[in-house]
Amino acid sequence: MASAALSLLLSAPPPPPPRSLFAHSFLPSSSNAKQLCVPKLGLKPLAFPLAPRRLYSERVCLFAVAEEAAAVASSSSEGAAARRLYIGNIPRDVDNAQLTGIVEEHGAVETAEVMYDKYTGRSRRFAFVTMKTVEDANAVIEKLNGSQIGGREIKVNITEKPLSSMDLSPYQAEESQFVDSPHKVYVGNLSKSVTTDTLKQFFSEKGQVLSAKVSRVPGTSKSSGFGFVTFSSDEDVEAAIASFNNALFEGQRIRVNKA
């Protein structure tokens, strides 16, 4: 009889652990995964066999580690966005190393990447820099935004929070419809109100425009303040530069040069 009762007891699922074990048996979530699974000393042993208790403990550990990993990943993603800077209107001869040297005078740099045109290999005059900390990023904005590098006034700001794919679809369509060409001009100091259509229409007055686009901060609808216009010949490019460099367009004096 006693043997049957013992067998029944051993085969039954273990009861839930006391609330005190669940609430206090593990260290805070800031500890590492190994520390999370260390039981607090001084607790009374549970009234069910060791193997099921160990299994339950391992399951709790797994859930705790997974929860912390998810929190860390989310925090890391948000933190990276707050540390990533857009730097615009830089001189064309500034490369990654030079830009890093300029920026790191005001904070620790993690990465720096100048953006280049895939056809000409020339700098597109803007870059993205990721700083080590949010404090470093804020310091760089404060010190460098509006300052001059090589005679050019640069713009420095935090990259925008990404929009949803639905919000971005019109701008993605513009990008995909852009017709690139070796006969291309860079148009700087554009007003925020300038669109791809108005840019194309403006330059069509002096040449055969193949395509035009207003550049935007990646992942957002925000204008970067510059754009590109492509033509069918070098003659049209020269005519556009002669006619529109320093011209007034929607309230601002634009800069036009070969891209």
Side-chain angles (χ1 to χ4, degrees):
M1 186 73 172
S3 176
L6 179 59
S7 298
L8 181 61
L9 176 62
L10 291 176
S11 63
R19 291 178 62 84
S20 60
L21 175 64
F22 186 79
H24 305 294
S25 293
F26 303 100
L27 297 176
S29 61
S30 60
S31 305
N32 60 34
K34 185 175 180 181
Q35 289 173 322
L36 279 171
C37 298
V38 178
K40 184 177 179 181
L41 298 177
L43 292 176
K44 292 181 179 180
L46 302 180
F48 48 83
L50 177 61
R53 181 178 64 206
R54 181 178 299 161
L55 178 60
Y56 180 87
S57 176
E58 288 174 354
R59 287 176 179 172
V60 172
C61 288
L62 287 174
F63 280 121
V65 172
E67 238 177 60
E68 177 159 335
V72 168
S74 175
S75 172
S76 174
S77 176
E78 292 175 3
R83 294 183 289 110
R84 191 168 189 256
L85 301 175
Y86 163 82
I87 303 183
N89 200 35
I90 59 177
R92 205 180 290 280
D93 59 352
V94 170
D95 59 20
N96 293 349
Q98 291 171 312
L99 184 62
T100 298
I102 292 168
V103 175
E104 68 183 2
E105 292 181 9
H106 309 289
V109 175
E110 190 172 284
T111 62
E113 183 179 11
V114 175
M115 308 306 292
Y116 292 90
D117 184 270
K118 63 182 179 181
Y119 291 97
T120 65
R122 301 176 74 189
S123 166
R124 295 170 64 186
R125 295 193 174 180
F126 70 95
F128 294 100
V129 177
T130 300
M131 306 301 294
K132 294 277 188 178
T133 67
V134 174
E135 290 74 19
D136 287 334
N138 292 334
V140 171
I141 294 172
E142 182 181 348
K143 299 295 184 182
L144 290 184
N145 185 40
S147 66
Q148 291 200 352
I149 298 178
R152 303 179 69 87
E153 183 177 315
I154 66 169
K155 298 177 182 179
V156 185
N157 57 263
I158 297 290
T159 54
E160 296 291 298
K161 181 179 179 181
L163 299 176
S164 69
S165 57
M166 183 175 295
D167 293 331
L168 284 175
S169 56
Y171 307 107
Q172 291 170 339
E174 283 183 4
E175 184 72 24
S176 64
Q177 291 168 7
F178 178 71
V179 179
D180 213 333
S181 161
H183 313 298
K184 180 165 61 175
V185 297
Y186 163 89
V187 187
N189 200 36
L190 289 176
S191 165
K192 301 301 181 185
S193 62
V194 173
T195 66
T196 291
D197 289 337
T198 58
L199 182 63
K200 182 175 182 179
Q201 183 178 359
F202 183 74
F203 275 83
S204 293
E205 297 176 8
K206 294 293 180 179
Q208 183 64 42
V209 174
L210 291 179
S211 193
K213 70 174 178 179
V214 173
S215 182
R216 303 189 184 278
V217 176
T220 79
S221 62
K222 182 180 178 182
S223 168
S224 295
F226 66 90
F228 297 94
V229 181
T230 58
F231 298 89
S232 56
S233 68
D234 273 333
E235 290 75 16
D236 286 337
V237 168
E238 297 298 335
I241 294 173
S243 300
F244 296 123
N245 186 40
N246 206 38
L248 194 64
F249 181 30
E250 296 200 8
Q252 292 189 190
R253 295 282 175 185
I254 61 173
R255 296 186 302 275
V256 184
N257 52 261
K258 284 186 177 181

